[in-house]
Amino acid sequence: EEEDSGSDGETAVEPVPAGVARRTQGRGLDYRHRTLRACARLVTIGDLVRAHAARPPAAAAVDWEGWLRDHLAPSDGRRRRRGPTLAALQSLVGDIPPSWWSAAQAHAAQLASPGPAPVPAPSTSEVVRTTIMPRMGWKLSGSETLKVPLAKLSVRMATSMQLDDVATRRADLHEDYERAAQGLPPRAVVRREDLPAAAAATLGAIRDTLARLWQKVRWERRHFETLWRLAIDAVPLPGNSHMPLARREPCGCGQHGHGGAAAEAHAAAAPPRQHHFWDCAVAKAVVAQINAHNPGPSPTSQAQLWLVQAPPGFQQCVWDVVVMAAMAATEHGRVRLRGMTRAAAALGIQTAAAAAPEAAVAGAVEAEPDLDEIPPTQLTPPQPGVNPVELACPENAK
């Protein structure tokens, strides 16, 4: 058996060469105290406190092998002499931070003293519930300091954070819609902060407008769909690059998506939404019907129609319904024109294809409304001898 060197009365630690000290600096305790690392009962600081407190005096007669077995329990089979082993214990104590060593001694004394049993250590689940979870939470977007603790999270706040990206994307699409309605350059060309102050102040109002329509106008929800889709450019129009499943085909009016220099120039200047809901013959026919009953001196502008801004002479509650009906009529005429153009192209009838735009315009303008579906707010015809148009707007529709 291999034996440790030294005498029974030795208490000092063997000096470590400077090179070895530098190589072992920063290593773990088991690396720096190889004599003790094979001891099965010397694992924690508490084990060290108990072994250090029970170490025999230097000159006292003691069953050394029994002490080793009870307090250290070496498992490597090496024979350990008393002096070097006790010196190694003292060296290990010197490597423990003084505050840790004092706390471990106090705890060991508390366990050994008579009195009430010490409070047991909390379970893992209790630590998670009382310590970890109160420190968990979320940072709100746009703020580095405002946080939502887990315990105070509500359904409304969680829904808002989950849909934050969707709301941001919708706000960007609404701004694109407002810019197109007012003839402002797109966001990719001019940033919002670079726009004139008057123009920038008008952006962002469409969200409140749509919310007002949804809450105030009592009408079948399908009549809202076209305006809602148009505001986020979600109408499946031919030519929309962000809708890969939309069919690629020219407009039946012959001014968008066809070959030729003039048609290509128009398509480049007018995106699909701009063409189908303002420049197309179907849209122009619907706007012409509105202008025919416009009491104001100026025709209806694109911003007034797209942004639901009542022109002079119209009450806002009436104009709300006029806009949604006009958008639905334009979409109806566009779909009808597309169907007639496809049917004519399939049959190879050139005359029918040429007459399709006029027929679609007539269908969009002359379609008789369903009296059961007209909302309570409606436009009344002008009375004889009255120059402006009277608009009936019941109190419950304002």
Side-chain angles (χ1 to χ4, degrees):
E1 294 181 352
E2 184 180 356
E3 296 183 0
D4 288 331
S5 61
S7 62
D8 291 352
E10 186 178 356
T11 58
V13 183
E14 246 181 72
V16 181
V20 176
R22 284 195 299 269
R23 289 196 302 270
T24 59
Q25 186 176 6
R27 303 291 184 100
L29 294 177
D30 58 342
Y31 186 88
R32 296 200 298 270
H33 302 278
R34 301 186 181 185
T35 305
L36 303 175
R37 65 180 178 181
C39 298
R41 292 193 177 181
L42 192 61
V43 178
T44 66
I45 297 181
D47 297 336
L48 179 59
V49 169
R50 288 187 291 271
H52 186 267
R55 68 189 188 282
V62 67
D63 181 10
W64 175 246
E65 295 298 332
W67 188 93
L68 280 177
R69 184 172 56 255
D70 295 338
H71 294 89
L72 300 182
S75 59
D76 55 358
R78 296 174 57 187
R79 184 179 179 184
R80 287 169 172 79
R81 300 183 65 85
R82 179 172 172 175
T85 304
L86 295 179
L89 275 178
Q90 188 62 39
S91 176
L92 179 57
V93 170
D95 275 351
I96 304 298
S99 58
W100 289 24
W101 182 250
S102 300
Q105 285 182 317
H107 183 67
Q110 182 182 4
L111 293 177
S113 63
V119 179
S123 62
T124 303
S125 59
E126 185 178 356
V127 171
V128 171
R129 180 176 57 84
T130 61
T131 305
I132 298 179
M133 291 185 64
R135 290 170 169 79
M136 294 178 63
W138 291 267
K139 289 184 179 180
L140 297 182
S141 60
S143 175
E144 293 296 330
T145 59
L146 190 58
K147 300 178 182 179
V148 181
L150 182 62
K152 297 183 179 180
L153 181 68
S154 63
V155 175
R156 180 178 180 181
M157 298 173 66
T159 304
S160 176
M161 289 188 292
Q162 185 178 13
L163 301 180
D164 183 66
D165 293 340
V166 177
T168 302
R169 175 59 177 159
R170 185 185 295 114
D172 292 340
L173 294 174
H174 283 167
E175 182 176 341
D176 293 338
Y177 178 70
E178 292 174 309
R179 286 174 179 248
Q182 301 179 70
L184 299 175
R187 289 183 298 116
V189 178
V190 178
R191 299 180 303 172
R192 185 170 184 170
E193 51 268 25
D194 295 334
L195 290 173
T202 62
L203 301 178
I206 189 63
R207 181 178 181 272
D208 295 335
T209 299
L210 296 178
R212 175 176 55 80
L213 294 178
W214 188 264
Q215 296 172 2
K216 298 296 183 181
V217 180
R218 301 291 184 258
W219 208 4
E220 285 79 4
R221 295 310 185 191
R222 59 187 178 87
H223 299 290
F224 295 70
E225 182 176 355
T226 302
L227 178 59
W228 254 248
R229 286 178 174 267
L230 192 68
I232 57 174
D233 203 8
V235 179
L237 301 174
N240 270 344
S241 58
H242 60 281
M243 292 185 174
L245 299 181
R247 186 170 178 176
R248 298 290 188 268
E249 57 183 346
C251 181
C253 69
Q255 298 298 319
H256 192 273
H258 290 267
E264 290 180 0
H266 173 77
R273 176 170 58 183
Q274 175 71 24
H275 170 77
H276 289 285
F277 284 88
W278 187 252
D279 296 336
C280 183
V282 176
K284 289 181 178 179
V286 174
V287 175
Q289 288 297 312
I290 299 175
N291 290 332
H293 300 85
N294 189 351
S298 303
T300 303
S301 67
Q302 182 177 354
Q304 291 170 341
L305 184 65
W306 282 27
L307 303 181
V308 203
Q309 298 172 351
F314 285 90
Q315 295 185 23
Q316 184 62 56
C317 57
V318 177
W319 188 248
D320 294 345
V321 178
V322 171
V323 168
M324 288 192 291
M327 293 299 184
T330 303
E331 175 65 2
H332 172 78
R334 181 189 72 84
V335 174
R336 182 173 180 180
L337 174 60
R338 180 188 62 188
M340 297 174 65
T341 305
R342 288 178 181 177
L347 296 175
I349 305 176
Q350 299 298 328
T351 56
E358 290 78 5
V361 168
V365 174
E366 298 177 2
E368 291 294 334
D370 188 348
L371 297 181
D372 294 334
E373 295 183 354
I374 296 180
T377 305
Q378 57 183 345
L379 182 68
T380 59
Q383 301 296 327
V386 179
N387 185 22
V389 173
E390 291 185 7
L391 300 175
C393 186
E395 292 297 328
N396 61 354
K398 292 183 180 180

